[in-house]
Amino acid sequence: MEAQSVPTTGVIPADALLKHWQGHRRLTRRMIEAFPEDQLFSYSIGGMRSFGALAQEMLGMAVPMVEGVVTGEWNPYAGAKAMTRDELLKGWDESTERLNSLWPQIPPERFQEHIVAFGEYPGLLYDLFLYVIDNEVHHRGQGYVYLRALGIEPPPFYERD
Amino acid sequence: MEAQSVPTTGVIPADALLKHWQGHRRLTRRMIEAFPEDQLFSYSIGGMRSFGALAQEMLGMAVPMVEGVVTGEWNPYAGAKAMTRDELLKGWDESTERLNSLWPQIPPERFQEHIVAFGEYPGLLYDLFLYVIDNEVHHRGQGYVYLRALGIEPPPFYERD
């Protein structure tokens, strides 16, 4: 922690932010399942990364970010290791449980604290969490194009249950 | 308004949420500028909408959502009308100003109010706002693939100034 901003009244509760994120994560999980196994780590457009590689990045950011916040201990950012689709889904589900258990350990007043995530990304807690969520939404949007280009109908964006 | 949920302590201030959104909107604006004019409303992959059409959807959601919240008056959702790239950018900048003037008119306690946006989308205010922001991030991610497929380097995702 470098400094602390003046606390201001918040309008989104901490548990609602986690619920929002887990809704996105359920949709991203459906995207991983929607990819044919042989395309998940190979298909690409315009030289971009495969959706499998993007999902590994998401895994490498989610739990490590929240764990770093809770414990104050950070490792340099690293994407999850190469895996099969089943291993990716297993890692995804383990992250889901881990996020659910870590999140309530963050006191609400800490969300406006300024930290340096992974030892190199400075920001307020809520901005860092929003960044991780947005990064997932951003890359998942990329995955929607991959699926459409493969002739596969992606799961609906608004469906988060 | 259908019902009101029990207020819970929030961790993201209202002005921070607008600042976050406007940061995303600056990046989306750079994406609109990055598209060649002749591709903005025509280029597509996998039968998806053009980036210009997606940006029109974003315009049709942003101010009308916040205006509806502030005034309590809703029209059915409609995307912005077909336009040139310059008209789109002009509409974008007008929306930026309008959002800045409307947003502070929403009392913080209203963010946990349950409403029916556009007369058909029920939800808590903060969830509806997050949906509009996420929808922009999602479709902009799609635009990144279009640009890469066109051989154009998109603006960096993390740059929001």
Side-chain angles (χ1 to χ4, degrees), chain A residues 131, chain B residues 23-24 26-28 30 140 144 155-161:
Chain A
Y131 189 90
Chain B
H24 274 304
R26 279 188 287 275
L27 174 56
T28 307
R30 281 197 282 275
R140 192 183 55 211
Y144 271 68
F157 176 69
Y158 52 80
E159 177 66 51
R160 310 284 170 79
D161 290 336

Side-chain angles (χ1 to χ4, degrees), chain A:
Chain A
M1 186 173 76
E2 285 186 327
Q4 191 134 7
S5 67
V6 179
T8 319
T9 311
V11 294
I12 303 178
D15 59 346
L17 187 59
L18 175 64
K19 193 178 155 202
H20 176 74
W21 189 6
Q22 294 285 32
H24 274 305
R25 295 185 73 261
R26 279 188 287 274
L27 175 54
T28 307
R29 191 188 195 285
R30 280 197 283 276
M31 287 289 289
I32 297 168
E33 288 181 301
F35 269 83
E37 172 117 43
D38 64 339
Q39 305 283 5
L40 182 60
F41 289 98
S42 62
Y43 187 76
S44 159
I45 293 176
M48 301 179 97
R49 285 173 286 171
S50 69
F51 192 68
L54 296 171
Q56 287 174 327
E57 177 180 282
M58 296 169 197
L59 273 188
M61 287 173 79
V63 166
M65 171 67 86
V66 181
E67 211 154 41
V69 165
V70 168
T71 64
E73 287 161 31
W74 296 94
N75 292 312
Y77 162 76
K81 296 243 166 48
M83 25 174 78
T84 64
R85 186 174 61 179
D86 283 349
E87 285 167 348
L88 189 54
L89 290 169
K90 188 164 171 281
W92 203 263
D93 294 338
E94 286 166 359
S95 289
T96 300
E97 294 308 310
R98 190 85 186 108
L99 290 175
N100 285 342
S101 80
L102 285 166
W103 194 262
Q105 298 177 45
I106 310 170
E109 60 275 16
R110 283 204 60 207
F111 281 77
Q112 296 189 42
E113 192 179 297
H114 188 277
I115 65 161
V116 182
F118 298 102
E120 56 177 325
Y121 303 106
L124 302 178
L125 274 202
Y126 62 72
D127 272 331
L128 293 163
F129 290 141
L130 288 174
Y131 189 90
V132 173
I133 298 169
D134 292 340
N135 187 66
E136 177 172 339
V137 176
H138 170 71
H139 285 312
R140 191 182 56 210
Q142 182 176 335
Y144 271 67
V145 187
Y146 290 6
L147 280 184
R148 288 278 184 196
L150 287 165
I152 296 163
E153 167 107 14
F157 175 70
Y158 52 80
E159 177 67 53
R160 311 283 169 80
D161 290 335

Side-chain angles (χ1 to χ4, degrees), chain B residues 38-100:
Chain B
D38 64 336
Q39 304 284 4
L40 181 59
F41 289 97
S42 62
Y43 188 76
S44 158
I45 293 175
M48 301 179 97
R49 284 173 288 170
S50 69
F51 191 68
L54 296 171
Q56 287 175 326
E57 177 180 280
M58 296 169 197
L59 273 188
M61 287 172 79
V63 166
M65 170 68 86
V66 181
E67 211 154 41
V69 165
V70 168
T71 64
E73 286 161 31
W74 295 94
N75 292 311
Y77 161 76
K81 297 243 165 48
M83 26 174 77
T84 64
R85 186 175 61 179
D86 283 349
E87 286 168 348
L88 189 53
L89 290 169
K90 188 164 171 281
W92 202 263
D93 294 338
E94 286 165 359
S95 288
T96 300
E97 294 308 310
R98 191 84 186 109
L99 290 175
N100 285 342

Side-chain angles (χ1 to χ4, degrees), chain B residues 5-155:
Chain B
S5 67
V6 180
T8 320
T9 310
V11 294
I12 303 179
D15 59 346
L17 187 60
L18 176 63
K19 193 178 155 203
H20 175 75
W21 189 6
Q22 294 286 31
H24 274 304
R25 294 185 73 258
R26 279 188 287 275
L27 174 56
T28 307
R29 192 187 193 285
R30 281 197 282 275
M31 288 288 289
I32 297 169
E33 288 180 302
F35 269 84
E37 171 117 43
D38 64 336
Q39 304 284 4
L40 181 59
F41 289 97
S42 62
Y43 188 76
S44 158
I45 293 175
M48 301 179 97
R49 284 173 288 170
S50 69
F51 191 68
L54 296 171
Q56 287 175 326
E57 177 180 280
M58 296 169 197
L59 273 188
M61 287 172 79
V63 166
M65 170 68 86
V66 181
E67 211 154 41
V69 165
V70 168
T71 64
E73 286 161 31
W74 295 94
N75 292 311
Y77 161 76
K81 297 243 165 48
M83 26 174 77
T84 64
R85 186 175 61 179
D86 283 349
E87 286 168 348
L88 189 53
L89 290 169
K90 188 164 171 281
W92 202 263
D93 294 338
E94 286 165 359
S95 288
T96 300
E97 294 308 310
R98 191 84 186 109
L99 290 175
N100 285 342
S101 80
L102 285 165
W103 194 263
Q105 299 177 45
I106 311 170
E109 61 275 16
R110 283 204 59 206
F111 281 76
Q112 296 189 42
E113 192 179 296
H114 189 277
I115 66 162
V116 181
F118 298 101
E120 55 178 326
Y121 304 105
L124 302 179
L125 275 201
Y126 62 71
D127 273 330
L128 293 164
F129 291 141
L130 288 173
Y131 188 90
V132 173
I133 298 168
D134 292 340
N135 187 66
E136 178 173 338
V137 176
H138 169 71
H139 285 312
R140 192 183 55 211
Q142 183 176 334
Y144 271 68
V145 187
Y146 290 6
L147 281 184
R148 288 277 184 199
L150 286 165
I152 296 163
E153 167 106 16

